[in-house]
Amino acid sequence: MIPLHDTAHRDFASDNYAGAHPEVLAALAAANGGHQTAYGGDAWTARLQEVVRGHLGERALTFPVFNGTGANVLSLQSVLPPWGAVICSSDAHIHTDENGAPERVAGIKLLPVPTPDGKLTPELVDREAWGFGDEHRAQPGVVSLTESTEVGTVYTPAEIRAIADHAHALGLRVHMDGARIANAAASLGVPLRALTTDAGVDVLSLGGTKNGLLFAEAVVVLDPDAAPGLPYLRKMDMQLASKMRFLSAQLVALLDGDLWLRSATHANAMATRLADGLRAAGVELLHPPQANGVFARLTPEVAADLRTRWRFYDWAHGTVRLMCAFDTTSQDVDDLLAATREALAAHR
């Protein structure tokens, strides 16, 4: 078959642009033989429960889903009453990039709070954690954190624990959008449970697609008492896969071993290489990169020159976002840096 694209080309727009890791494709092939019970009654989904419990504790319940938006909507809906609201950062993906899915699909009111670095604090939570018992106001019920954040910063375990303790004291649940939790754990050198179970998170949207999977995420309930209706909501929200073994097999390949960590560590290292090179060229960064994203201030002229070869996104706060993935190479980064230096010189 003739390739429809240049298989050697890599962009910097999103880690979603990357293909699937070869080990993940091998797992899909291994899962393909014979018949297995549909809707999660298969050997791969059973193995996934064991693997995730090894990472996140014996009480963890894992529900594979198709995509990150589905994972977030399902997670939030499962821990909220119909009158509930979610406190989140104004940069949160659920607020800025999911086309109103929490509101439209689940009827959830979002209560966004401006943050200087994409991260909530107990004090910032309190800006919207009020009006309890007031029938005229949607009732705060969940605090949602993103790890790593939409501006490339990461919460430490202590920061998450402080928010979780504060939220729980107010009677609120804690959700984590962990689309890039592997990158955060790799950056901090901590296990996944340090950012979730041990820090007081109740329900986790566990990311996979941005870390080398083809199509698979999971909702992981860390406190089973928090979301008793989740199996029914998953079907109602159109996130129940009939051939679930193919979702689970990908997640098993990622998590049953160190593929999740190897891939995230490499992506982070490429982002650090890119950030160091940009700083050396005189480019201002929004924040020091802590995961696999670099947020840089480029003039429109410089950005336009670079876009003749690579795709990347304009982002908030007057920056562009440059993302690295599991398959980004040192040469990819060095080529972008060389082109950036040329463009800066041409537009001085």
Side-chain angles (χ1 to χ4, degrees), residues 268-318:
N268 290 359
M270 293 299 100
T272 298
R273 185 185 187 97
L274 177 57
D276 289 345
L278 290 173
R279 273 194 296 257
V283 174
E284 180 188 357
L285 304 183
L286 179 62
H287 300 289
Q290 295 179 306
N292 62 320
V294 178
F295 295 78
R297 300 189 191 279
L298 300 177
T299 66
E301 296 79 11
V302 170
D305 282 1
L306 297 178
R307 284 193 168 106
T308 63
R309 293 179 59 186
W310 297 279
R311 290 181 63 89
F312 52 88
Y313 294 136
D314 292 317
W315 211 250
H317 313 291

Side-chain angles (χ1 to χ4, degrees), residues 189-340:
V190 299
L192 294 173
R193 70 173 294 151
L195 301 173
T196 54
T197 310
D198 294 347
V201 173
D202 296 301
V203 61
L204 167 69
S205 299
L206 177 60
T209 308
K210 291 177 171 61
N211 201 23
L213 302 195
L214 186 63
F215 59 94
E217 315 283 321
V219 174
V220 183
V221 180
L222 302 170
D223 178 1
D225 296 332
L230 203 148
Y232 312 104
L233 288 170
R234 179 171 57 169
K235 178 64 174 180
M236 190 172 74
D237 286 352
M238 298 170 285
Q239 289 290 324
L240 178 65
S242 57
K243 296 186 179 182
M244 195 180 296
R245 58 170 151 162
F246 295 111
L247 299 182
S248 299
Q250 295 176 72
L251 290 158
V252 169
L254 185 69
L255 297 166
D256 193 8
D258 67 349
L259 179 59
W260 69 275
L261 183 58
R262 282 188 280 124
S263 295
T265 298
H266 175 79
N268 290 359
M270 293 299 100
T272 298
R273 185 185 187 97
L274 177 57
D276 289 345
L278 290 173
R279 273 194 296 257
V283 174
E284 180 188 357
L285 304 183
L286 179 62
H287 300 289
Q290 295 179 306
N292 62 320
V294 178
F295 295 78
R297 300 189 191 279
L298 300 177
T299 66
E301 296 79 11
V302 170
D305 282 1
L306 297 178
R307 284 193 168 106
T308 63
R309 293 179 59 186
W310 297 279
R311 290 181 63 89
F312 52 88
Y313 294 136
D314 292 317
W315 211 250
H317 313 291
T319 64
V320 299
R321 187 186 78 166
L322 302 165
M323 296 299 298
C324 297
F326 77 89
D327 62 348
T328 304
T329 69
S330 298
Q331 190 62 57
D332 295 331
V333 172
D334 292 347
D335 288 347
L336 178 61
L337 289 172
T340 302

Side-chain angles (χ1 to χ4, degrees), residues 20-38:
H21 195 284
E23 293 179 36
V24 173
L25 292 178
L28 281 168
N32 193 44
H35 285 207
Q36 283 279 288
T37 305

